[in-house]
């Protein structure tokens, strides 16, 4: 990370949502101390949730009001970022318009179960969509390295 602002927001992300952000420390940009710090915090938060689950369940109805929507929009944001990282992001207004017309009904069907889940008890199945997209993010760098090793050039076709 280049500047203090990036590092601050990254570590704020690790602190707030370690289940997602700690995995980014696996990349080469981070040293062993950073990985240990991020995954230690992840283990601490998992332990706090596990041992405090009874009190969480008593107050869980307050959290479930908006939690499904947060998960849905997190999934959409991660998917858009993934498309941008692999070069599938639309370049022109015409492409954006076409994708909106084609995928708007699909996006509605993807988000609809999350809207219907507002106020219902938490289900672990809600975490599958963002977890799958986050796992795809972890595959981007290894896939690029493999592509360069096999074909001797970057993904854009440069020598």
């Amino acid at each position: 990370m280049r500047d203090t602002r990036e590092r601050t927001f990254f570590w704020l992300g690790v602190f707030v949502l370690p289940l997602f952000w700690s995995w980014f420390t696996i990349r080469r940009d981070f040293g062993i101390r950073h990985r240990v710090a991020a995954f230690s915090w992840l283990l601490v938060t998992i332990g706090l949730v596990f041992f405090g689950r009874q009190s969480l369940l008593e107050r869980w109805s307050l959290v479930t009001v908006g939690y499904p929507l947060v998960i849905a929009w997190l999934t959409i944001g991660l998917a858009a970022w993934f498309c941008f990282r692999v070069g599938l992001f639309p370049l022109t207004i015409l492409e954006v318009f076409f994708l909106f017309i084609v995928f708007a009904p699909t996006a509605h069907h993807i988000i609809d179960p999350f809207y219907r889940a507002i106020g219902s008890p938490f289900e672990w199945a809600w975490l599958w969509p963002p977890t799958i997209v986050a796992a795809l993010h972890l595959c981007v760098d290894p896939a690029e390295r493999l592509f360069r090793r096999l074909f001797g050039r970057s993904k854009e076709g440069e020598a």
Side-chain angles (χ1 to χ4, degrees), residues 1-14 21-31 33-35 38 81:
M1 289 179 274
R2 294 178 292 270
D3 61 7
T4 306
R5 182 177 176 205
E6 287 182 13
R7 286 190 298 271
T8 302
F9 279 109
F10 175 79
W11 287 107
L12 181 65
V14 170
W21 286 101
S22 61
W23 296 101
F24 285 102
T25 61
I26 294 175
R27 294 180 19 198
R28 293 184 197 179
D29 301 345
F30 296 94
R33 289 184 309 150
H34 295 121
R35 290 183 192 123
W81 182 27

Side-chain angles (χ1 to χ4, degrees), residues 11-149:
W11 287 107
L12 181 65
V14 170
F15 179 75
V16 172
L17 195 61
L19 185 62
F20 173 73
W21 286 101
S22 61
W23 296 101
F24 285 102
T25 61
I26 294 175
R27 294 180 19 198
R28 293 184 197 179
D29 301 345
F30 296 94
I32 191 75
R33 289 184 309 150
H34 295 121
R35 290 183 192 123
V36 168
F39 282 98
S40 296
W41 178 243
L42 174 63
L43 289 175
V44 167
T45 56
I46 289 172
L48 289 173
V49 169
F50 180 75
F51 289 113
R53 70 182 177 271
Q54 187 60 36
S55 64
L56 282 173
L57 290 174
E58 292 169 2
R59 294 171 185 84
W60 199 251
S61 62
L62 296 174
V63 178
T64 59
V65 172
Y67 202 62
L69 296 181
V70 170
I71 292 173
W73 286 109
L74 174 68
T75 304
I76 290 170
L78 284 171
W81 182 27
F82 177 76
C83 290
F84 182 75
R85 283 183 74 191
V86 297
L88 296 175
F89 214 78
L91 302 174
T92 65
I93 288 292
L94 184 61
E95 290 173 337
V96 171
F97 180 73
F98 175 74
L99 289 174
F100 180 76
I101 295 296
V102 170
F103 291 113
T106 305
H108 171 72
H109 289 295
I110 292 170
I111 295 175
D112 192 49
F114 291 99
Y115 275 106
R116 284 188 270 125
I118 292 175
S120 64
F122 177 77
E123 295 180 24
W124 289 102
W126 295 350
L127 298 178
W128 279 111
T131 303
I132 291 169
V133 179
L136 289 173
H137 276 280
L138 293 174
C139 297
V140 170
D141 289 336
E144 285 180 354
R145 284 193 298 272
L146 178 65
F147 187 84
R148 273 186 248 129
R149 193 175 317 132

Side-chain angles (χ1 to χ4, degrees), residues 143-159:
E144 285 180 354
R145 284 193 298 272
L146 178 65
F147 187 84
R148 273 186 248 129
R149 193 175 317 132
L150 291 175
F151 300 107
R153 58 184 182 264
S154 67
K155 68 178 181 179
E156 288 85 18
E158 299 170 353

